[in-house]
Amino acid sequence: MHMKTTPKVLVIYTGGTIGMVNDPLTGSLTAFDFGDVYKHIPELARLNVELTTHAFPHPIDSSEMNPLWWKEMAELVYNKYHDFDGFVILHGSDTMAFSASALSFMLQGLTKPVIFTGSQLPIGTIRTDGKENLVTAIEIAAAKTENGSPRIREVAIYFEYSLYRGNRTSKVSASSFEAFRSPNLRPLAVAGVHIDYTGETINASSGLELFTDFDTSVALIKLFPGLNWNIYESLFDTEKTKAIILETYGSGNAPSDKKFHELLLNYLEKGGIVLNITQCSTGRVEQGKYETSSFFEKNGVLSGFDLTTEAAVTKTMYALGKSAGNVELAKDILQKSVCGEVTV
Ligand code: ASP
């Protein structure tokens, strides 16, 4: 029989609204000393979880996020992996979906939960959503099945009663407590009176691997009627831009603009990678369905299927880093599901 021990969770505070309180003197929001978290949320002491906290020395607004911070977070989880049952990462909500996607590629083969959360209102305000988000994220990070294995074995985002696969998530509201959506995959869990683990979590068996060498030579172009390709011309240079992500219309459609086609063909010929994702938040790219996307299909533009923009950007950085100049390998990576981010 499985012996129950108190689960251990590491809470990593990177910054963002959740860790802020109102300074009574100035009235402005300032980061509180995260070591004092019990003072602000005394309820934490009543959870049956052994908590350890680790704060970034200078908490950042998540607009400052970049691959070096992702590396720092991933290494922290990797180095402490055997000391804890689960991990909670407190992060500003603005770029949380990028960070959760990035960490899912950096930490493949997870068999423990890495749960991102944050809040729209600071923990020090009366109507804060931060307390519930933090307390439930910790509960999920500590949750085990009857036979003692972790309920969640991947990177996820918990926000306002829903747990989503991290690399399927986008921030959809700047003000609602329901700030996130996972448009193409149902939630991994929903919190009500009980936490219902209704979705399927990933079942990795190959062991945890850390890979943090992302290559940021990526451009993202969102199409709009009237886009002037002359302005974008310099991006189609394989010396600088190894991959271009095109956010196209509907099921992957684009105009038949002569200049655009010229730039694209020349770029593809020189070994550039082009990934086609849709601007729509639900549904997927189906190249060749309409005349306006068959040009892509014929000329080697890759379908991004139902990838979110956040997952497409971080997956491309991962694929370029992992393939180290081998274009065919990078394309192979982009055409398969690496860690549940896409339905191919
Ligand atoms: N600007 C903040 C950030 O992303 C907003 C938040 O924490 O939700 O860091």
Side-chain angles (χ1 to χ4, degrees):
M1 214 184 85
H2 170 68
M3 292 284 290
K4 280 199 174 148
T5 51
T6 307
K8 295 184 180 144
V9 171
L10 178 63
V11 179
I12 301 165
Y13 174 56
T14 68
T17 304
I18 191 165
M20 299 197 160
V21 285
N22 264 311
D23 183 324
L25 294 178
T26 63
S28 63
L29 290 172
T30 47
F32 68 80
D33 178 353
F34 208 72
D36 286 348
V37 68
Y38 285 98
K39 236 171 45 198
H40 297 278
I41 319 179
E43 293 89 333
L44 290 178
R46 303 217 311 268
L47 281 174
N48 186 29
V49 176
E50 195 180 316
L51 283 185
T52 304
T53 57
H54 175 100
F56 275 18
H58 304 289
I60 56 166
D61 185 287
S62 77
S63 310
E64 311 283 1
M65 222 7 103
N66 62 43
L68 288 177
W69 291 118
W70 295 336
K71 181 173 185 293
E72 174 124 359
M73 285 184 250
E75 283 176 350
L76 203 54
V77 171
Y78 186 79
N79 292 332
K80 306 267 180 196
Y81 194 63
H82 297 292
D83 302 339
F84 293 93
D85 297 280
F87 302 83
V88 171
I89 301 183
L90 300 181
H91 191 291
S93 60
D94 290 348
T95 62
M96 189 185 290
F98 285 95
S99 295
S101 297
L103 258 69
S104 73
F105 295 111
M106 287 187 169
L107 290 167
Q108 283 172 50
L110 277 176
T111 52
K112 294 182 180 181
V114 176
I115 313 295
F116 277 80
T117 196
S119 66
Q120 294 280 47
L121 282 176
I123 226 126
T125 57
I126 294 175
R127 290 179 55 249
T128 184
D129 51 331
K131 270 191 194 178
E132 196 284 319
N133 285 350
L134 176 57
V135 169
T136 309
I138 292 171
E139 236 184 289
I140 291 169
K144 301 270 171 81
T145 60
E146 281 299 296
N147 67 14
S149 60
R151 285 264 179 201
I152 298 296
R153 296 179 292 275
E154 58 182 283
V155 180
I157 289 182
Y158 179 76
F159 226 89
E160 193 65 6
Y161 305 114
S162 292
L163 182 76
Y164 305 109
R165 176 165 298 160
N167 56 33
R168 290 287 194 156
T169 311
S170 296
K171 184 170 180 182
V172 293
S173 174
S175 55
S176 161
F177 286 154
E178 266 182 67
F180 288 88
R181 285 274 154 77
S182 163
N184 289 316
L185 189 79
R186 67 191 175 98
L188 303 176
V190 176
V193 174
H194 305 287
I195 301 173
D196 277 335
Y197 292 90
T198 47
E200 266 180 40
T201 188
I202 292 171
N203 245 332
S205 54
S206 52
L208 182 64
E209 261 182 54
L210 177 72
F211 180 83
T212 58
D213 204 3
F214 278 24
D215 184 334
T216 58
S217 324
V218 180
L220 171 65
I221 304 175
K222 181 172 186 151
L223 301 190
F224 56 89
L227 185 155
N228 179 348
W229 288 102
N230 292 319
I231 297 174
Y232 289 76
E233 186 160 2
S234 61
L235 288 180
F236 290 79
D237 173 357
T238 48
E239 292 295 310
K240 290 192 223 136
T241 317
K242 295 186 191 151
I244 296 176
I245 300 167
L246 286 178
E247 258 196 31
T248 59
Y249 306 126
S251 55
N253 307 313
S256 50
D257 184 297
K258 200 163 155 265
K259 177 79 182 176
F260 172 48
H261 281 190
E262 259 171 40
L263 287 172
L264 208 61
L265 283 180
N266 188 33
Y267 181 74
L268 289 162
E269 233 165 68
K270 290 196 173 132
I273 298 171
V274 182
L275 184 68
N276 179 5
I277 60 170
T278 173
Q279 299 180 4
C280 296
S281 58
T282 62
R284 55 195 283 114
V285 164
E286 289 179 65
Q287 290 189 153
K289 183 173 174 191
Y290 290 93
E291 181 66 34
T292 40
S293 67
S294 44
F295 176 82
F296 289 155
E297 191 63 8
K298 270 190 227 134
N299 292 293
V301 169
L302 306 177
S303 170
F305 307 105
D306 60 353
L307 281 174
T308 60
T309 301
E310 294 87 339
V313 167
T314 51
K315 184 177 185 175
T316 307
M317 289 180 181
Y318 162 75
L320 292 177
K322 190 78 180 168
S323 58
N326 180 339
V327 173
E328 289 314 308
L329 180 57
K331 287 182 180 171
D332 284 350
I333 295 172
L334 288 169
Q335 289 302 269
K336 63 175 189 185
S337 168
V338 174
C339 45
E341 75 283 1
V342 69
T343 314
V344 290

